[in-house]
């Protein structure tokens, strides 16, 4: 059996048979697809939070929904902070209730997010991570996962690629016009490791976090 490339977080549709894409569905902005996805109330798009949460509850129990998110906190948007916190707390509670992992959007809010995640027992993935290695280590020490994307190109995150434990990472394309295979290839070139080894490690991570086999 062969292993797929895993795109842990994308806003695009990928038809390639050797890619497992976890599409990010934003409540009130996107329709729920038949394919595997995560569903969340994004802090950029909180407009009618009560109705959005009702919709999220309906979506979240569907079998193709493997995770809750992206959700989190963002200090760079105009959405009131207390509203962001309330909506994030609701999604944390929902993820815990459904036993589904959380995919986190975090901008200049890491310590606040850490506080709100204290005591959470489902897996947590910080998507699109591009901050300093010290923060990466802090996230991993808390038992959480990191997902790296287009920011790895160009060498700015080579230290992360070399040092982060493979059992705590994922790779993604997010909303960038890139191919997940290229993200894998770059990672392997920097770390000087076989592609098959990286595929095996990330497949094991995916199965552990999302309870889904990526064998084809």
């Amino acid at each position: 059996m062969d292993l797929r490339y895993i795109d842990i977080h994308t806003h695009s549709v990928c038809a390639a048979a050797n890619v497992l894409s976890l599409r990010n569905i934003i409540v009130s902005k996107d329709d729920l697809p038949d394919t595997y996805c995560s569903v969340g109330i994004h802090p950029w798009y909180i407009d009618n939070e009560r109705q959005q949460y009702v919709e999220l509850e309906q979506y979240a129990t569907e079998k193709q929904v493997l995770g809750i998110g992206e959700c989190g906190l963002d200090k760079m948007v105009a959405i009131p902070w207390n509203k962001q916190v309330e909506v994030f707390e609701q999604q944390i509670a929902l993820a815990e209730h459904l036993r589904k992992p959380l995919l986190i959007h975090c901008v200049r809010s890491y310590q606040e997010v850490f506080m709100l995640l204290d005591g959470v027992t489902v897996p947590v993935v910080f998507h699109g991570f591009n901050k300093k290695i010290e923060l990466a280590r802090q996230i991993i020490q808390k038992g959480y996962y990191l997902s790296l994307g287009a920011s790895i190109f160009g060498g700015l995150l080579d230290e992360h690629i070399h040092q982060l434990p493979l059992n705590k990472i994922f790779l993604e394309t997010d909303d960038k016009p890139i191919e997940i295979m290229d993200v894998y290839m770059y990672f392997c070139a920097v770390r000087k490791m076989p592609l098959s080894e990286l595929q095996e490690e990330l497949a094991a991570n995916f199965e552990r976090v999302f309870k889904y086999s990526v064998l084809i």
Side-chain angles (χ1 to χ4, degrees):
M1 300 293 284
D2 294 325
L3 290 169
R4 302 187 202 182
Y5 295 94
I6 301 169
D7 190 347
I8 193 70
H9 182 89
T10 183
H11 295 263
S12 302
V13 177
C14 179
N18 65 339
V19 176
L20 192 157
S21 294
L22 197 63
R23 282 186 60 198
N24 177 242
I25 303 302
I26 300 172
V27 172
S28 78
K29 187 172 181 288
D30 303 317
D31 294 326
L32 186 69
D34 294 329
T35 53
Y36 292 113
C37 61
S38 62
V39 176
I41 304 172
H42 195 294
W44 293 0
Y45 302 107
I46 300 171
D47 47 34
N48 182 349
E49 61 269 29
R50 291 183 181 178
Q51 180 57 39
Q52 286 175 300
Y53 185 73
V54 170
E55 188 174 345
L56 174 62
E57 281 189 310
Q58 294 171 346
Y59 282 172
T61 57
E62 297 294 330
K63 66 179 185 300
Q64 71 268 36
V65 176
L66 300 186
I68 304 300
E70 62 188 284
C71 57
L73 303 175
D74 191 324
K75 289 184 178 176
M76 298 300 290
V77 295
I79 303 297
W81 181 255
N82 62 334
K83 185 174 290 189
Q84 289 190 48
V85 169
E86 179 183 359
V87 171
F88 185 33
E89 287 178 326
Q90 289 177 327
Q91 293 179 92
I92 293 171
L94 180 63
E96 286 279 283
H97 174 67
L98 296 176
R99 307 309 302 160
K100 293 188 177 184
L102 283 158
L103 289 93
I104 303 297
H105 170 101
C106 185
V107 176
R108 299 188 179 183
S109 311
Y110 281 91
Q111 299 310 313
E112 292 90 343
V113 168
F114 291 157
M115 289 179 61
L116 292 173
L117 289 174
D118 187 41
V120 166
T121 58
V122 296
V124 174
V125 182
F126 282 79
H127 104 87
F129 187 82
N130 59 4
K131 305 305 179 188
K132 293 182 178 180
I133 189 69
E134 292 79 12
L135 180 57
R137 293 194 187 105
Q138 185 180 4
I139 289 171
I140 288 171
Q141 286 170 358
K142 291 180 177 294
Y144 307 143
Y145 294 78
L146 292 173
S147 181
L148 308 176
S151 296
I152 71 171
F153 297 123
L156 294 179
L157 297 182
D158 282 3
E159 185 180 10
H160 300 58
I161 293 174
H162 281 295
Q163 296 189 22
L164 295 180
L166 293 177
N167 67 344
K168 285 295 184 180
I169 65 166
F170 289 104
L171 298 176
E172 66 177 65
T173 61
D174 198 8
D175 58 352
K176 305 299 188 293
I178 58 176
E179 300 292 335
I180 192 62
M181 292 80 82
D182 294 333
V183 183
Y184 270 73
M185 295 294 187
Y186 185 91
F187 190 103
C188 289
V190 172
R191 189 137 173 168
K192 295 180 171 58
M193 66 181 295
L195 174 61
S196 59
E197 182 182 345
L198 180 61
Q199 287 181 300
E200 289 174 4
E201 290 280 359
L202 300 196
N205 294 349
F206 193 87
E207 291 181 25
R208 184 167 56 252
V209 170
F210 294 97
K211 312 302 181 188
Y212 180 82
S213 174
V214 297
L215 290 174
I216 56 174

